[in-house]
Amino acid sequence: MTPKSGGRQPARSRGRIQHRGAILIFTAPFVILFLLFYLLPIGYAIWKSLLVIEREGTFGQANEVFGGLSQYALVFQNEAFWESVGRVLLFGIVQVPVMLALALLFALLLDSPLLRGKKFFRLAFFVPYAVPGVIAAIMWGFLYSPNLSPFTVLTGNVDFLSADLVLWAIANVVTWVFVGYNMLIIYSSLLAIPTEMFEAARLDGAGQMRIAWSIKIPMVRPALVLTAILSIIGTLQLLAEPQVFRSFSSAVTSTYTPNMTIYATSAIPNVNLAAAFSVVLALATFVLSFTFLRITRRKADS
């Protein structure tokens, strides 16, 4: 008679049940917060975007009724919203590569054995990120203002707050704030590279520039992709800096960025249209981020 090997099965089942309970206990706080502060607000915004306001007569009571996709039809007819989307896309095409290039350069400098005082430079590069975006925008706004800036020779000849330059003045603020944050992500990826690879490259006669170009940059490609996706999302959500710059420049209107358009629409108040704007913007952000991720993956696999 062959010995039965199924005697341990009940123990495994009991172990699975115990582990299942532990998993539920440890994941419950995250799941609850995820539902309350992420999924439910998204669902509520989608529902509000499907409603319209109807009144009984001119001054009758306002009632919300189901309107289907009528709010989305208004979104696609709103020229100010799509101009703001085009503006932030232009912003991102220029600002994101510049910011990530600087972040990569600073990370490579910190990882280089030739740099002295690494602790000081690491802190100096990261300190701007510790400054809140609103405070940074106010500070740079004063620096750009011809009547308030200590650099009157420059600001008197170049109007950084004009309609042609204010977008790039805002881009400079965003770059100054976030380059250190992205640098830390890339620098952490550099620290994870095995030192044996660098030693082998040095034995083959490679210098620091060659090691950086052929080993370090290819190895931190996932970190660059991550920072690029985060930057794309942040670009389409641009709000604090241009909102502050409205106090310094008349070129920044209430519909200068998509989020400012949503904020201004909800303040009318027209919450239903603002919700439709939000849903469209979220979908556009997802499509751009996903498309960028797919393109980078195809290039990495080829």
Side-chain angles (χ1 to χ4, degrees):
M1 181 180 294
T2 57
K4 296 182 179 180
S5 58
R8 297 181 182 178
Q9 195 64 29
R12 288 183 183 178
S13 300
R14 288 195 298 270
R16 284 200 191 98
I17 294 173
Q18 292 173 1
H19 287 302
R20 190 180 305 161
I23 291 172
L24 290 176
I25 291 173
F26 284 111
T27 58
F30 167 78
V31 172
I32 293 172
L33 293 175
F34 185 75
L35 288 173
L36 289 178
F37 297 102
Y38 192 79
L39 291 184
L40 284 180
I42 291 175
Y44 181 71
I46 294 173
W47 169 246
K48 294 291 286 187
S49 70
L50 298 175
L51 303 178
V52 295
I53 301 295
E54 287 188 354
R55 296 180 182 272
E56 297 178 0
T58 306
F59 302 102
Q61 183 179 1
N63 298 311
E64 283 187 332
V65 298
F66 184 76
L69 301 177
S70 58
Q71 297 289 3
Y72 291 96
L74 295 177
V75 169
F76 288 99
Q77 293 171 10
N78 193 296
E79 294 182 4
F81 176 73
W82 293 108
E83 286 178 2
S84 68
V85 171
R87 190 175 293 114
V88 295
L89 288 178
L90 176 62
F91 176 97
I93 290 171
V94 177
Q95 187 268 339
V96 171
V98 171
M99 178 178 64
L100 295 185
L102 289 173
L104 177 61
L105 176 62
F106 293 159
L108 290 173
L109 286 174
L110 290 178
D111 194 60
S112 173
L114 304 178
L115 182 68
R116 305 300 178 188
K118 291 185 179 181
K119 292 183 179 179
F120 167 78
F121 285 106
R122 183 167 61 241
L123 181 62
F125 294 152
F126 184 73
V127 159
Y129 181 68
V131 179
V134 174
I135 303 300
I138 294 173
M139 180 186 72
W140 279 97
F142 280 114
L143 291 176
Y144 289 139
S145 298
N147 299 327
L148 302 173
S149 175
F151 309 106
T152 54
V153 176
L154 178 60
T155 56
N157 296 318
V158 181
D159 187 2
F160 293 101
L161 301 176
S162 65
D164 295 329
L165 295 180
V166 68
L167 181 65
W168 310 118
I170 296 171
N172 178 61
V173 178
V174 176
T175 302
W176 183 78
V177 171
F178 286 99
V179 69
Y181 170 78
N182 293 301
M183 177 209 67
L184 279 186
I185 296 177
I186 299 171
Y187 182 58
S188 300
S189 183
L190 284 171
L191 294 179
I193 301 176
T195 56
E196 292 81 2
M197 298 184 66
F198 303 143
E199 294 173 357
R202 293 191 194 97
L203 290 175
D204 290 338
Q208 291 299 321
M209 290 292 294
R210 183 66 176 175
I211 292 174
W213 181 259
S214 300
I215 298 178
K216 292 183 178 181
I217 294 178
M219 293 293 290
V220 300
R221 185 187 183 93
L224 289 173
V225 172
L226 173 63
T227 52
I229 292 175
L230 294 176
S231 300
I232 291 171
I233 295 172
T235 297
L236 290 172
Q237 294 179 349
L238 194 63
L239 176 64
E241 292 82 4
Q243 189 74 24
V244 171
F245 268 68
R246 288 191 67 192
S247 304
F248 298 98
S249 174
S250 59
V252 181
T253 63
S254 61
T255 59
Y256 197 72
T257 68
N259 265 350
M260 291 178 69
T261 304
I262 295 169
Y263 181 80
T265 304
S266 64
I268 292 176
N270 192 343
V271 179
N272 305 104
L273 181 58
F277 280 136
S278 301
V279 172
V280 172
L281 181 62
L283 290 175
T285 303
F286 171 77
V287 169
L288 284 176
S289 303
F290 184 75
T291 302
F292 177 81
L293 183 61
R294 289 295 300 270
I295 292 173
T296 53
R297 281 185 175 179
R298 285 181 181 178
K299 289 185 178 180
D301 295 338
S302 61

